[in-house]
Amino acid sequence: MKEHEDSKEPTPETDGKEASTPLDFIRTIIAQDRKNNKHGARVHTRFPPEPNGYLHIGHAKSICLNFGIAAENEGGLCNLRFDDTNPSKEDQEYIDSIFEDVRWLGFDWGDRLYYASDYFEKLYEFAVALIRKGKAYVCDLSPEEIRQYRGTLTEPGKDSPYRNRPVDENLDLFKKMRAGEFPDGSRVLRAKIDMKSPNINMRDPVLYRILRAVHHRTGNKWCIYPMYDFTHPISDSLEGITHSICTLEFEDHRPLYDWSLDELDIFRSRQIEFARLNLTYTVMSKRKLLELVQEGLVISWDDPRMPTISGLRRRGYTPEAIRDFCDRIGVAKNDSMVDIALLEHCIREDLNMKAHRRMAVLNPLKVVIDNYPAEAAEEFLIQNHPGNPEMGSRSVPFSRTLYIEQDDFMEDPPKKFFRLSPGAEVRLRGAYFVTCTSFVKDEMTGKVIELHCTYDPSTRGGDSPDGRKVKGTVHWVSAPHSIEAEVRLYDRLFTVPNPVGEKEDRDFKAYLNPDSLKTIVSCRMEPSIKEAKPGETFQFERLGYFCADSKDSSMDHPVFNRTVTLRDSWAKIEKTLESKGTPEKAKKPHVEKTAEMKKPEATIDDFARLDLRVGIIREAEAVKDSDKLLRLMVDLGEGRLRQIFAGISKAYPDVSALIGQSVIVVANLKPRQMKFGLSEGMILAGGDEDNLSIATFTGSLVAGKKVS
RNA sequence: UGGGGGAUCGUUCAACGGUAGGACAGCGGACUCUGACUCCGUCGAUCUAGGUUCAAAUCCUAGUCCCCCAGCCA
């Protein structure tokens, strides 16, 4: 435990940014502008969400950027502005959640809370001004006609027949639009720019539409609403925003943004675009997240599996970790997909420092200490944080009957298994050394249901007076003193890194991870857990970081969400152990890059370069338009299925017979792009066209095991 | 096939004509009353082809690939 030697105190103002870190391109522009005394060296940004959904981690990137830049620059300010120009999608619920989320992230907009809807009157006046200048006109074309007149990406549009209406007529019509004299959708106000522009946004874009909907702030006052492209530059201008930072898809809109400010001749803000955040194993669009909520695929917007700010909060993420993450991912214009492992790293780093340690047993296995007096019990004082005595300690009861984790015992352990097995000695964390003397199996299931151990009284507190070492330390709870609790184990929401980019043959929801939530209802925990407050975070030793659920946890019924596991090097060892199959296999030879050693015959080493694995076929279907190929989804124990195309259709007219079969897969081939999709491996089969069979195993092998 | 953007280790961000660097991930090791933490080591990249230059990720030319745009959404 050494991490407290330079404990930092992260705040929104100081975390991240060391003076030496190079500026991203936006901060470089701003530094340049300040140097040139542009806008009197003033820096004023804004965060402009539309209240049509909950904020997610991608918004956090924008929030950290906008508020962060304001905070870094002397006198800098950042406004919170709701871009609420489409009443049909927006709702007060979302506004409230946005307040909560931005504040929770640690940012403060002071008295600078704005709504685009507050500018409706001014916006209307600006529109009138544009009409007077001959730069806008009322158009009677239907939506369908407007689309047709707009042209296509490669063909120019043509002028609307209403394009040259006299100013007075436009003024009159626009007034009547506002007065509600026309039905929804019958007319729009358009900018008069250039129907032949190669930039479609400049082909006389719609500025106002007629829309009878109750606005969450203005109620029924308006039946015309301004479009984003008209509203945004004017809102920025009215607020004196110096740098209007938005995402890449608005790059094409910048000429229109500039056009509006030019024509209206008002304060000139500069729009700068950066790449939005994408994260592996999740989706990041409000539309898709809404879909998950509405279809009940997750419980709610704040479901701990969601990448929403509220979901992350409920999961146990801290504002500090999210801000740190946003600092680390950087700001640029490249389309990027950030590894969720980085987010997990950030939360582990933060929580490692802050979280009190507790002992909790998720899957209890009863242990009886045979030589411990039956009626006795004692209390051990255990530190809340082994690296930081200032965090205090708590009392943990011990008795003859304990629970340990089922995983911490193996009847027939492999090498390097440092936990309990027959005859093995381990330390019970903070208590005693114990040695397993026997175990009891359920006769029906063959499952180990009880362990018997002896303890060494001289090792009280966990140290041995004779200096003997034990390799393993396991966590435990005293059975009679322990309390029951529910634990929700969360995992990634999707099984593939990029659910929306999966070669478009399937909907993103097809890749939802069925194991993204596992609930365990009868966990046993040390009694101090009773005191846990909703939202409070602990490290359950050797398991991970968990927080008491803010909605469902109570003293009577504690419920914990797993925020993130601890890094688990044992899991890796286990994996390699499995794949090696036999112990003490020699190291794989390094593949030399020298090309001169080409040999006519393959060596055993060459063969060893093929990674052969046990694969279990989970799905199988014939490939349309192919008389040979089957599309197989094969489980290699990787947490996702691999798609493999195999030319074995003739041998298996009934594809369903393949499902469940254990086959041999060449697992380390470079994936091959085929006409029908990516093939990520090869299945070994024998025979010829007429007499063909895949190589299978009898018996039950675990997916992913090495084949040799 | 129009317009706007973008291509640097597996991922992500830097390097702004002068030693391609950091973080995450991976791998190896040390330490350890958490197989955690921490520490050390290691692997590893300039889209391609030409050109300019003493010197190119950076400048020029020609290609290739990827993303965005045809809402009365934002």
Side-chain angles (χ1 to χ4, degrees), chain A residues 326-343:
Chain A
C326 291
D327 280 338
R328 287 174 186 247
I329 56 178
V331 180
K333 299 190 75 160
N334 307 334
D335 292 316
S336 64
M337 174 72 71
V338 175
D339 192 340
I340 199 163
L342 181 61
L343 219 209

Side-chain angles (χ1 to χ4, degrees), chain A residues 55 83 125 152 226 271 297 357 396 405 450 512 517 590 592 598 688 692:
Chain A
L55 261 25
D83 224 329
E125 290 306 325
T152 68
Q271 176 178 304
L297 273 4
R357 315 281 121 133
V396 183
E405 213 67 63
E450 186 176 316
L512 277 164
L517 167 59
H590 281 293
E592 294 293 336
K598 273 182 197 152
D688 53 37
L692 182 70

Side-chain angles (χ1 to χ4, degrees), chain A residues 290-468:
Chain A
L290 213 211
E291 215 172 310
L292 296 177
V293 174
Q294 285 182 336
E295 293 179 25
L297 273 4
V298 295
I299 312 291
S300 54
W301 282 100
D302 70 348
D303 187 302
R305 292 168 291 184
M306 293 279 272
T308 51
I309 306 295
S310 52
L312 290 166
R313 175 168 61 232
R314 195 169 167 193
R315 173 92 169 241
Y317 274 78
T318 59
E320 291 80 5
I322 293 175
R323 277 189 252 122
D324 181 35
F325 173 74
C326 291
D327 280 338
R328 287 174 186 247
I329 56 178
V331 180
K333 299 190 75 160
N334 307 334
D335 292 316
S336 64
M337 174 72 71
V338 175
D339 192 340
I340 199 163
L342 181 61
L343 219 209
E344 294 174 345
H345 168 82
C346 292
I347 188 60
R348 284 192 188 107
E349 189 174 79
D350 190 41
L351 257 22
N352 176 47
M353 203 159 54
K354 296 176 182 165
H356 283 208
R357 315 281 121 133
R358 292 291 183 272
M359 289 198 284
V361 175
L362 266 29
N363 298 296
L365 172 62
K366 187 178 168 188
V367 176
V368 180
I369 313 294
D370 291 322
N371 60 340
Y372 195 85
E375 301 310 319
E378 59 189 309
E379 300 272 333
F380 287 104
L381 204 59
I382 299 181
Q383 285 201 2
N384 287 327
H385 195 297
N388 184 4
E390 286 176 20
M391 289 169 84
S393 52
R394 84 269 179 203
S395 181
V396 183
F398 183 91
S399 69
R400 178 182 158 95
T401 316
L402 312 171
Y403 292 118
I404 65 165
E405 213 67 63
Q406 286 170 19
D407 285 350
D408 286 338
F409 174 81
M410 275 183 99
E411 181 183 347
D412 186 20
K415 245 184 216 171
K416 292 190 183 170
F417 184 81
F418 303 146
R419 285 113 95 150
L420 228 35
S421 57
E425 183 174 46
V426 300
R427 170 169 35 237
L428 296 176
R429 174 115 240 230
Y432 293 106
F433 285 13
V434 295
T435 303
C436 177
T437 51
S438 65
F439 58 92
V440 181
K441 270 188 179 176
D442 182 308
E443 287 179 9
M444 299 294 287
T445 63
K447 202 179 145 192
V448 176
I449 51 170
E450 186 176 316
L451 259 38
H452 285 265
C453 296
T454 56
Y455 83 115
D456 178 351
S458 71
T459 58
R460 186 169 200 283
D463 289 305
S464 59
D466 60 1
R468 79 179 186 275

Side-chain angles (χ1 to χ4, degrees), chain A residues 610-655:
Chain A
L610 284 183
D611 188 21
L612 302 179
R613 302 276 165 174
V614 175
I616 299 178
I617 300 176
R618 301 294 186 199
E619 298 169 29
E621 62 180 13
V623 174
K624 268 175 261 162
D625 307 323
S626 166
D627 54 4
K628 278 188 180 169
L629 287 181
L630 292 185
R631 177 173 166 281
L632 306 174
M633 296 302 290
V634 183
D635 184 354
L636 285 175
E638 299 167 306
R640 66 174 197 99
L641 300 183
R642 289 209 200 185
Q643 172 171 274
I644 296 176
F645 290 96
I648 54 175
S649 185
K650 277 188 180 165
Y652 297 92
D654 175 20
V655 291

